[in-house]
């Protein structure tokens, strides 16, 4: 149980285009989902927290107009990288908290999406 | 300011050895301390987690030791295997807040 999927697993796009990444909790409901970014050989950096049905909360330094987050249902959150540039190339990982366990719910992570912007 | 300090940055042990990874925190409001394992190109996977009301938790070959007064916790891997070679992250959170991660430890288990 507790599986989180991400799609696509990797994507290559041209500079200036937008890319959408989907995150789904497959066997549990997730009121809260998180989006992280990870550079090679570095730790996970929290970008934003999304709550179902409300606006996402972005961490300091993360451009909310560039990284659009939508959490439309209890099992789906999307991250759209708008007008992507090469510096946006990174490994993006989503995480979902099992709502059934309240705020103490474990965070489960997706397999990540490798974004390369040419 | 780094909220969770993890050491060492990298670690090499022989097969069968017991690698130990340490983490220290400052925020006394933290009440949940998980460890994640990450293989290259994959997302982190939850290994084991502990709450501050216990001093030790064991699951299979993985053990967390927790020292509340010292604000430290550590991961021990018993009888380590080459397949355990990965990056390990400690993390912590308080109530409803998102996890805060350490910088990670790259573990290599050599045969």
């Amino acid at each position: 149980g507790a599986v989180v999927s991400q799609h696509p697993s990797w994507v290559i796009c041209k500079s200036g285009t937008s890319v959408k990444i989907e995150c789904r909790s497959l066997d549990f409901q997730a009121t809260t989902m998180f989006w992280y970014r990870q550079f090679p050989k570095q730790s996970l950096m929290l970008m934003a927290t999304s709550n179902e049905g409300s606006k996402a909360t972005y961490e300091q330094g993360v451009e909310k107009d560039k990284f659009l987050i939508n959490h439309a249902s209890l099992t789906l959150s999307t991250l759209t990288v708008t007008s992507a540039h090469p510096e946006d190339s990174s490994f993006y990982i989503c995480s979902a908290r099992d709502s059934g366990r309240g705020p103490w719910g474990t965070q489960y992570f997706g397999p990540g999406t490798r974004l390369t912007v040419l | 300011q780094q909220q969770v300090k993890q050491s060492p940055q990298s670690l090499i042990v022989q097969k069968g050895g017991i690698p130990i990874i340490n983490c220290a925190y400052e925020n006394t409001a933290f009440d949940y301390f998980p460890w994640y394992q990450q293989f290259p190109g994959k997302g982190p996977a939850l290994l084991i987690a502990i709450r501050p009301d216990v001093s030790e938790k064991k699951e299979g070959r993985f053990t967390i030791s927790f020292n509340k007064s010292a604000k430290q916790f550590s991961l021990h891997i018993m009888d380590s295997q080459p397949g355990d070679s990965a990056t390990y992250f400690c993390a912590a959170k308080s109530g409803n807040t998102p996890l805060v991660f350490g910088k990670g430890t790259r573990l290599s288990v050599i045969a």
Side-chain angles (χ1 to χ4, degrees):
Chain A
V3 177
V4 178
S5 71
Q6 272 184 250
H7 179 80
S9 56
W10 60 269
V11 57
I12 301 173
C13 70
K14 292 183 179 180
S15 186
T17 61
S18 294
V19 174
K20 179 184 283 188
I21 302 170
E22 290 187 350
C23 175
R24 295 181 184 272
S25 56
L26 298 185
D27 49 5
F28 64 96
Q29 294 186 329
T31 306
T32 304
M33 290 186 172
F34 307 91
W35 287 94
Y36 291 83
R37 185 173 181 176
Q38 187 178 34
F39 291 104
K41 300 184 181 181
Q42 293 191 22
S43 188
L44 290 82
M45 291 178 52
L46 180 66
M47 299 175 64
T49 300
S50 75
N51 292 293
E52 186 265 339
S54 63
K55 290 184 179 180
T57 302
Y58 291 82
E59 295 299 300
Q60 191 172 8
V62 178
E63 299 176 59
K64 62 180 180 180
D65 294 331
K66 180 168 188 60
F67 299 100
L68 301 179
I69 291 173
N70 185 293
H71 192 159
S73 77
L74 288 173
T75 59
L76 173 65
S77 177
T78 60
L79 168 68
T80 301
V81 183
T82 62
S83 187
H85 288 94
E87 57 266 30
D88 299 324
S89 298
S90 190
F91 193 50
Y92 292 88
I93 310 173
C94 75
S95 176
R97 177 186 285 156
D98 187 342
S99 301
R101 302 190 179 200
W104 311 107
T106 299
Q107 273 185 240
Y108 298 99
F109 285 81
T113 296
R114 172 74 59 194
L115 170 64
T116 301
V117 184
L118 303 177
Chain B
Q1 181 184 2
Q2 188 182 355
Q3 295 194 58
V4 180
K5 293 185 178 180
Q6 184 172 346
S7 63
Q9 191 173 4
S10 62
L11 187 56
I12 301 173
V13 299
Q14 292 227 313
K15 178 182 175 182
I18 306 176
I20 300 173
I21 305 171
N22 302 296
C23 282
Y25 64 96
E26 289 296 325
N27 187 347
T28 55
F30 284 153
D31 56 12
Y32 177 71
F33 304 89
W35 284 90
Y36 286 85
Q37 178 190 57
Q38 186 179 32
F39 292 103
K42 305 293 184 183
L46 178 66
L47 266 181
I48 186 172
I50 198 168
R51 296 201 184 277
D53 53 345
V54 296
S55 60
E56 184 176 281
K57 184 175 181 180
K58 188 176 296 186
E59 287 186 3
R61 295 185 295 110
F62 301 96
T63 299
I64 297 180
S65 296
F66 185 82
N67 186 328
K68 188 174 181 177
S69 61
K71 292 185 284 187
Q72 295 176 347
F73 58 110
S74 59
L75 175 70
H76 301 231
I77 305 175
M78 306 301 177
D79 187 28
S80 59
Q81 301 296 315
D84 296 328
S85 298
T87 299
Y88 293 81
F89 292 96
C90 63
K93 78 179 183 78
S94 164
N96 203 26
T97 62
L99 286 169
V100 176
F101 284 86
K103 290 193 172 184
T105 297
R106 297 185 67 161
L107 171 66
S108 297
V109 181
I110 54 177

